[in-house]
Structure formats: structure tokens, C-alpha cells
């Protein structure tokens, strides 16, 4: 009797932690006829149907979230038609808080595991593979004929019982690996399902260290901790951060979701000493409107939080992500503009402008009538309007979100964007006008080349009755070179400075001293070969300081930071 744990991820590089826990626990308890099947939402439904059908599994358990629930339900409907004897079960946050309703609506679903699945797993496998009564499975919603019943919710297991989810790290190359050392959250944010849980549970530190050693020993590129508030316990978080610093392999990046306002000065001082890009922090600011924060029971000293974020960013060693949510109570366009500008002043590496998702089980789901919140009836249950935002306002903010994602979060336009934004009253106004221009010209209806995105910026600038100067054109070339060896430049540029200094560039590559100093990994290569791998671009000024001195910039594309930006060196040309 084969049981399949099915994950349908948002992207191939993502890994599903839940199915890996379940599979490892099953194996530890002697259930060897279980397998993992992992796909993405970008695969076509007929392909997924074919792949799952050919497994000939007797039971399939799907890990359900807002980004995959629709495709899972469509898939299960078709699976039941071609495999009428199969048992189809759902699990995960998207089905845990309305399991009876889901089963009433979708009669092809045979059962739902509510909440954390580990406590129910072994009784469930006994039921599926040995025929023990369904009533013996805790946290289980199932059918008895036409009747749907629920068993008592199981007590959560100790995190010390969680197995290491990646038994063969070699098979996970090229993917983001997720990990957790705590469950629960001390906060009660109204939009979040974590607010339903009471208390926080932690994995023993020695067990955490053993898991981290496995990641570090294999030089895993990135590990993302999924803990809701990693630093809710200062001593615990500090112990892990300190361990990672002491055992740093010089390669692995660790991502943490933290509450920035909980960081004290001792911890902040410590964080200033960690290796550049060893840590990556995601901080949910959500809003700076005090009335909004009160409505969602989020007790945050925003000024303190932003000051701490600014201090961390000043160290230059930690990649910082800051999040905002549009569509929260009491947040209108004016209020959101203020929130956006306050957060943007930090200039984080990523500014996530998201929209409220009305999740079943959250307190804000129960307050929709009070706040006039309308949302999409199907996943991702995203806000359509509120008492403070019309649908026109939502569309306006969507345009801004697109511009922030394309031009800011991509990191590919950093220099030219900084130059352009300073000409507007606020960053919000810049992105708002750019977004309106972008959609008015219907650019949002087609894909564009990298060069065309710069050309769109140029057209936008000229539409505001401004001149797109030679300085701006050169900054665009600089931004392009930071990310890739330029093969094609935007139509508005030329390479006249490059042509004028071609002899200087050739001489640089022929200098053994230069190669040993700046490109030591290329000492065995010929100067022609080096010129094909790296890139030297000449500018009429220093691209960073803007000093009016002709400057050559050497870009080494084999060395990059987390944003994909190449290591580079400046050389004045006399």
C-alpha cells in the first residue's frame, strides 16, 4: 500500500518542509512504502495528473497553501475520476480551519488533517495501510457515509521529535532549503494565522546545532528559517546567531524573519560583526499608521523599529527585507503613502509591497463586515476594497507594486533609480507616476527585454518634461554592467568612451600585476580570454561618487553579492 506525500510549490527552487517531515517520520516508524512527489504550480494540470496517476499510489496526502489550493482541488477532482479507489487527503493551513466546509463542498476529498500533521501521522498511516478505525486518528476530519465528522485535536509534538528533513543534501542542490527551530508566535496580528496558536515552542539548541552543521558541511547556498518571529526569545536567537558566526563556512546565507524592535543594543552590536551576507533579515513593518496597527493588535514602536533597521542597514553586512501590507483597516492612500515613504528611507535591499490576504481563521476574517473588506472568493483571498480604499485605489497601488518589483527589488536599476527619485517630492510619488505611465502606455501587457526596461525609464523621464541627460545614460550603462557583461545596450546609449580608451583597456589586461592583484583567479588565462570573461567599462565620471574624473570600472562576474551584483573595482584614467 503506497502513500504519497504531494507538494506543489510556487517555484522549483522552493522545497516543501512539511512533506519532508512526514516522509522522514514515516520511515523512522517502519513505513517504507511512502514517497514524496514534488511539483510546481507552473506545471500544466494534465502533466501533473499524468505524473501522479503513474505513481499508482493508494493514498495521496496534499500539502495545501493559498498559492496551490486551487490547482490541488482541480487535480484531486480529476484523480478521483481516473482512480476511483484512491484515498485523497488534504493537510496544511489552507484547509485546517474550515475542514468540514471543504469536505462538504468537495465530495471527492476523503479526509483532512488539521493543524500540525506530525502528531496525527502514524495513526493515520495505520488507518490507511492497516485498516484501523478513522476515529483513532487525531486531528482528522473524515466521512462516514454521507456524514462528516471530526476527531479531537492532537496536542502538538515536541520539536525535539522532528527529524532532519533533508537526508540527502546532495539531491537538493540549486534549491532554497527551509528550516525551523520554533513554532508559534507571541504576537496576535489580526491578519496572520499564527495568532491562533498559543505560546511558542523551541527545538533544543543542541539539535539545532546538529542540523546547522549538516547545512554548513555541504556548503548549502541558502537556508531560510520559517520561524514566525525568530528572535522572540533573545537568548535563544542570540545563541544560534553566535553559533553560526563561530562556525561560518564563508558561503551559506541564513534568512530570518524577525521583529526588529526586539533587538537590543548588545545584539545589534553583535550583528555588526558577522560576515557580509551571512545573514538576511525580513522585517514585517506592515504599516506605520498607529490606528492601523492598533486595529490589527500589532504593538509596535514604529520609530524605534525603523531606527533599528536603519542602524542594521548602515553596517552593510546584512541583507534587509522590509514588508508593507496594503488594504489594512484605517489605511487610505494618504496613510499608505506615508508608510511607504517612511520605510523606503531605510533603502532596504527588498521592499515587499504586499496586499492583505483574508485568511480563514484569522481575526480580520471575522471583521470583514466591520471594515468593509471585500476580497477574492478564491485563493489567494486578496483584498479588493475596504472602507478606506476603493478598487480604483487598489489598482493604483498594484501599479506601484509592479514598479517597485521591476525597478527596485530586482536590484538592476539601483544607480539610475537613486538619481531619478531625488527629483520627485517623495519615493512614493516617483513610483506612482512611473506606474501610471507604464500602464497608460500598455507596457504591462507584454514582456520586455532588459534593455527595453531602461528605454521605458527614459521615455517616462521625457514624459515629465525632463531631459534624459548623458549622465543618466551612463548610469544606466553602469547598472547593466553591474549585473552582466553587456552584449546589447539600450537604444539611447552609445559606447564612445569605450572606443576612445580601447588601448588603455587592452594594456590593463596585459599587465600581470593587474591580473594578480584584481583577478587572481584568472592568472592562468590569456589576456584575450580574460577580456571575454570579465568586463572593463569606461565612464566620463566616477559612477558612485559622480566625481568628474574619467573612470574605468572592472567587473568580475564570477564573484557576486546576494543581489547578483558583480564585484567591481574603479580605476581613474589620467
Amino acid at each position: 500500500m503506497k502513500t504519497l506525500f504531494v507538494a506543489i510549490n510556487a517555484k522549483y527552487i522552493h522545497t516543501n518542509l512539511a512533506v519532508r517531515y512526514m516522509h522522514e517520520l514515516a520511515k523512522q516508524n517502519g513505513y517504507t512504502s511512502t514517497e514524496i512527489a514534488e511539483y510546481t504550480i507552473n506545471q500544466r494540470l494534465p502533466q501533473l495528473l499524468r505524473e501522479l496517476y503513474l505513481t499508482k499510489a493508494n493514498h495521496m496526502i496534499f500539502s495545501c497553501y493559498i498559492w496551490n489550493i486551487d490547482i490541488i482541488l482541480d487535480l484531486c477532482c480529476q484523480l478521483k475520476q481516473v482512480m476511483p479507489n484512491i484515498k485523497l487527503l488534504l493537510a496544511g493551513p489552507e484547509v485546517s480551519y474550515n475542514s468540514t466546509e471543504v469536505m462538504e463542498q468537495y465530495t471527492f476529498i476523503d479526509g483532512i488533517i488539521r493543524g500540525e500533521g506530525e502528531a496525527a501521522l502514524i495513526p493515520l498511516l495505520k488507518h490507511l495501510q492497516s485498516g484501523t478505525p478513522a476515529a483513532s486518528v487525531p486531528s482528522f476530519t473524515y466521512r462516514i457515509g454521507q456524514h462528516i465528522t471530526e476527531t479531537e485535536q492532537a496536542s502538538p509534538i515536541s520539536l525535539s521529535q522532528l527529524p532532519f528533513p533533508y537526508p540527502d543534501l546532495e539531491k537538493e542542490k540549486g534549491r532554497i532549503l527551509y528550516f525551523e527551530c520554533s513554532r508559534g508566535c507571541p504576537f496576535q496580528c489580526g491578519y496572520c494565522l499564527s495568532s491562533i496558536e498559543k505560546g511558542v515552542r523551541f527545538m533544543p539548541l543542541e539539535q539545532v546545532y546538529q542540523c546547522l552543521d549538516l547545512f554548513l558541511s555541504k556548503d548549502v547556498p541558502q537556508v531560510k528559517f520559517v520561524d514566525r518571529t525568530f528572535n522572540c526569545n533573545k537568548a535563544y536567537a542570540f545563541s544560534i546567531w553566535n553559533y553560526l558566526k563561530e562556525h561560518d563556512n564563508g558561503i551559506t546565507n541564513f534568512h530570518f524573519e524577525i521583529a526588529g524592535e526586539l533587538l537590543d543594543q548588545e545584539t545589534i552590536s553583535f550583528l555588526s560583526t558577522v560576515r557580509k551576507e551571512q545573514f538576511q533579515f525580513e522585517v514585517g513593518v506592515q504599516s506605520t499608521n498607529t490606528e492601523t496597527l492598533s486595529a490589527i493588535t500589532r504593538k509596535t514602536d514604529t520609530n524605534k523599529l525603523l531606527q533599528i533597521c536603519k542602524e542594521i542597514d548602515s553596517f552593510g553586512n546584512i541583507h534587509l527585507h522590509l514588508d508593507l501590507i496594503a488594504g489594512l483597516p484605517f489605511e487610505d492612500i494618504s496613510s499608505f503613502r506615508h508608510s511607504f515613504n517612511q520605510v523606503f528611507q531605510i533603502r532596504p535591499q527588498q521592499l515587499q509591497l504586499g496586499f492583505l490576504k483574508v485568511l480563514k481563521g484569522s481575526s480580520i476574517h471575522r471583521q470583514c463586515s466591520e471594515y468593509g473588506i471585500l476580497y477574492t472568493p478564491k485563493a489567494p483571498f486578496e483584498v479588493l476594497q475596504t472602507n478606506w480604499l476603493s478598487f480604483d485605489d487598489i489598482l493604483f497601488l498594484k501599479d506601484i507594486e509592479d514598479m517597485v518589483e521591476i525597478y527596485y527589488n530586482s536590484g538592476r536599476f539601483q544607480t539610475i533609480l537613486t538619481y531619478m527619485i531625488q527629483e520627485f517630492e517623495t519615493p512614493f510619488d516617483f513610483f506612482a507616476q512611473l506606474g501610471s505611465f507604464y500602464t497608460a502606455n500598455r507596457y504591462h501587457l507584454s514582456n520586455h527585454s532588459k534593455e527595453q526596461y531602461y528605454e521605458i525609464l527614459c521615455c517616462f523621464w521625457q514624459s515629465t518634461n525632463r531631459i534624459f541627460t548623458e549622465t543618466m545614460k551612463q548610469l544606466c550603462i553602469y547598472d547593466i554592467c553591474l549585473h552582466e557583461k553587456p552584449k546589447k545596450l539600450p537604444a539611447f546609449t552609445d559606447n564612445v568612451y569605450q572606443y576612445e580608451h580601447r588601448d588603455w583597456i587592452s594594456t590593463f589586461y596585459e599587465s600581470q600585476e593587474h591580473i594578480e592583484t584584481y583577478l587572481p583567479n584568472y592568472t592562468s588565462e590569456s589576456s584575450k580570454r580574460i577580456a571575454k570573461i570579465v568586463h572593463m567599462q569606461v565612464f566620463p565620471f566616477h559612477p558612485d561618487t559622480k566625481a568628474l574624473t574619467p573612470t574605468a570600472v572592472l567587473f568580475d562576474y564570477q564573484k557576486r553579492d546576494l543581489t547578483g551584483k558583480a564585484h567591481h573595482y574603479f580605476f581613474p584614467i589620467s
Side-chain angles (χ1 to χ4, degrees):
M1 299 284 280
K2 181 194 286 189
T3 301
L4 205 62
F5 299 112
V6 185
I8 302 182
N9 302 327
K11 296 180 181 178
Y12 170 76
I13 60 170
H14 297 172
T15 50
N16 185 293
L17 198 53
V19 297
R20 284 169 169 75
Y21 279 146
M22 302 287 262
H23 186 231
E24 291 306 305
L25 282 172
K27 288 195 300 182
Q28 288 179 7
N29 284 271
Y31 288 90
T32 56
S33 59
T34 62
E35 296 178 7
I36 291 175
E38 202 162 13
Y39 310 101
T40 79
I41 59 175
N42 299 311
Q43 292 174 269
R44 294 173 59 246
L45 191 62
Q47 181 186 16
L48 294 173
L49 178 65
R50 172 189 172 87
E51 294 299 314
L52 288 173
Y53 174 81
L54 292 177
T55 66
K56 301 302 180 183
N58 304 95
H59 328 107
M60 296 183 188
I61 305 174
F62 291 82
S63 181
C64 302
Y65 303 88
I66 57 173
W67 63 81
N68 67 13
I69 186 61
D70 287 337
I71 194 169
I72 285 175
L73 290 171
D74 289 343
L75 188 54
C76 286
C77 180
Q78 295 185 29
L79 281 167
K80 202 68 163 184
Q81 290 177 305
V82 296
M83 304 175 75
N85 295 322
I86 194 171
K87 292 286 187 183
L88 298 173
L89 293 90
L90 308 182
E94 189 47 41
V95 293
S96 286
Y97 302 100
N98 62 334
S99 58
T100 299
E101 178 185 331
V102 171
M103 291 191 64
E104 287 173 345
Q105 184 174 357
Y106 303 101
T107 56
F108 47 82
I109 300 300
D110 297 295
I112 292 176
I113 307 165
R114 306 186 311 276
E116 296 180 15
E118 293 90 0
L121 177 63
I122 303 308
L124 177 67
L125 291 176
K126 288 180 181 178
H127 163 64
L128 294 175
Q129 300 196 12
S130 304
T132 56
S136 65
V137 183
S139 309
F140 194 38
T141 304
Y142 63 98
R143 299 181 191 279
I144 302 179
Q146 299 299 312
H147 180 65
I148 298 171
T149 188
E150 293 184 349
T151 60
E152 187 176 347
Q153 194 72 22
S155 298
I157 67 169
S158 166
L159 267 59
S160 64
Q161 297 176 258
L162 290 178
F164 184 68
Y166 306 100
D168 189 350
L169 284 167
E170 293 296 330
K171 291 183 178 180
E172 308 290 354
K173 285 189 175 179
R175 308 185 74 183
I176 298 171
L177 302 189
Y178 296 91
F179 182 67
E180 64 182 338
C181 58
S182 67
R183 287 184 180 177
C185 181
F187 302 110
Q188 302 294 313
C189 301
Y191 54 84
C192 182
L193 291 180
S194 294
S195 63
I196 299 171
E197 302 176 41
K198 304 301 180 186
V200 184
R201 293 170 288 137
F202 298 92
M203 182 181 287
L205 279 172
E206 283 305 317
Q207 184 177 346
V208 176
Y209 298 156
Q210 290 170 11
C211 295
L212 295 177
D213 286 342
L214 291 170
F215 291 129
L216 292 165
S217 68
K218 296 296 183 179
D219 292 340
V220 171
Q222 186 177 57
V223 176
K224 294 191 78 168
F225 280 71
V226 297
D227 306 60
R228 301 309 303 159
T229 307
F230 178 80
N231 64 323
C232 63
N233 181 309
K234 175 200 167 182
Y236 186 85
F238 191 92
S239 296
I240 293 173
W241 285 335
N242 189 57
Y243 186 88
L244 290 173
K245 180 187 176 183
E246 291 179 349
H247 296 80
D248 181 28
N249 60 8
I251 295 172
T252 307
N253 165 262
F254 293 90
H255 178 107
F256 305 93
E257 187 171 335
I258 69 166
E261 68 274 20
L262 297 183
L263 297 176
D264 60 16
Q265 200 54 51
E266 178 190 9
T267 305
I268 293 170
S269 297
F270 164 80
L271 291 172
S272 70
T273 67
V274 302
R275 169 178 60 85
K276 184 176 182 180
E277 298 186 346
Q278 184 180 12
F279 294 168
Q280 183 170 297
F281 287 168
E282 182 174 354
V283 181
V285 181
Q286 319 311 12
S287 173
T288 63
N289 183 327
T290 55
E291 196 172 8
T292 297
L293 295 174
S294 177
I296 60 174
T297 62
R298 188 173 177 86
K299 299 176 181 177
T300 303
D301 183 338
T302 302
N303 290 332
K304 178 182 178 182
L305 169 61
L306 294 178
Q307 185 56 45
I308 288 173
C309 288
K310 192 171 185 177
E311 186 173 359
I312 290 173
D313 187 63
S314 72
F315 301 149
N317 64 335
I318 292 177
H319 205 262
L320 197 60
H321 292 200
L322 300 183
D323 298 338
L324 286 171
I325 298 178
L328 293 172
F330 301 101
E331 189 97 88
D332 58 15
I333 290 293
S334 176
S335 167
F336 191 83
R337 177 178 181 267
H338 184 68
S339 292
F340 183 96
N341 288 327
Q342 281 193 288
V343 171
F344 194 87
Q345 69 170 327
I346 309 298
R347 296 305 295 264
Q349 284 69 38
Q350 293 273 310
L351 199 170
Q352 188 70 40
L353 198 174
F355 287 78
L356 176 66
K357 309 296 190 295
V358 183
L359 304 178
K360 299 178 183 68
S362 66
S363 63
I364 210 159
H365 180 264
R366 300 188 295 272
Q367 296 171 299
C368 283
S369 295
E370 178 185 353
Y371 295 137
I373 297 174
L374 301 181
Y375 59 93
T376 57
K378 298 184 71 174
F381 313 112
E382 190 169 272
V383 64
L384 293 171
Q385 69 179 55
T386 72
N387 285 340
W388 300 271
L389 292 175
S390 67
F391 188 56
D392 283 326
D393 294 331
I394 293 290
L395 293 179
F396 172 67
L397 293 175
K398 283 282 185 182
D399 290 343
I400 294 174
E401 177 197 27
D402 289 342
M403 295 304 94
V404 170
E405 201 61 34
I406 292 170
Y407 285 105
Y408 185 79
N409 288 341
S410 68
R412 300 184 68 90
F413 306 85
Q414 186 178 32
T415 315
I416 184 61
L417 223 59
T418 299
Y419 188 95
M420 296 172 86
I421 288 173
Q422 66 185 358
E423 296 297 314
F424 285 75
E425 183 178 350
T426 74
F428 182 90
D429 299 317
F430 166 78
F431 287 108
Q433 289 191 42
L434 177 60
S436 296
F437 172 83
Y438 197 87
T439 53
N441 287 276
R442 305 179 73 79
Y443 291 125
H444 64 296
L445 298 179
S446 57
N447 295 323
H448 306 286
S449 68
K450 296 166 186 174
E451 298 77 32
Q452 286 172 328
Y453 280 117
Y454 288 95
E455 291 164 9
I456 291 169
L457 274 183
C458 177
C459 292
F460 162 68
W461 197 252
Q462 292 170 339
S463 76
T464 65
N465 297 318
R466 294 177 171 94
I467 298 173
F468 203 77
T469 65
E470 181 62 26
T471 295
M472 297 175 74
K473 295 175 183 178
Q474 292 299 314
L475 291 180
C476 288
I477 296 175
Y478 179 59
D479 276 333
I480 291 170
C481 293
L482 279 170
H483 288 85
E484 61 195 359
K485 191 176 177 68
K487 297 178 181 177
K488 183 180 179 182
L489 292 173
F492 57 73
T493 64
D494 58 50
N495 238 351
V496 60
Y497 303 104
Q498 196 79 348
Y499 182 78
E500 290 176 355
H501 295 90
R502 62 189 185 281
D503 292 339
W504 188 95
I505 295 171
S506 296
T507 302
F508 180 94
Y509 288 135
E510 291 167 359
S511 166
Q512 191 65 26
E513 180 183 353
H514 283 155
I515 302 305
E516 290 176 353
T517 302
Y518 300 105
L519 301 169
N521 293 336
Y522 301 87
T523 52
S524 62
E525 303 284 356
S526 67
S527 59
K528 289 186 178 180
R529 173 66 179 161
I530 294 172
K532 289 181 178 180
I533 301 173
V534 302
H535 181 66
M536 179 78 79
Q537 185 74 29
V538 179
F539 298 91
F541 55 87
H542 192 294
D544 272 3
T545 67
K546 310 301 184 296
L548 296 177
T549 303
T551 302
V553 186
L554 175 66
F555 301 91
D556 182 358
Y557 299 106
Q558 289 190 359
K559 295 180 180 179
R560 297 176 181 268
D561 64 16
L562 282 177
T563 66
K565 188 162 53 178
H567 284 212
H568 50 288
Y569 310 89
F570 299 97
F571 303 91
I573 297 179
S574 56

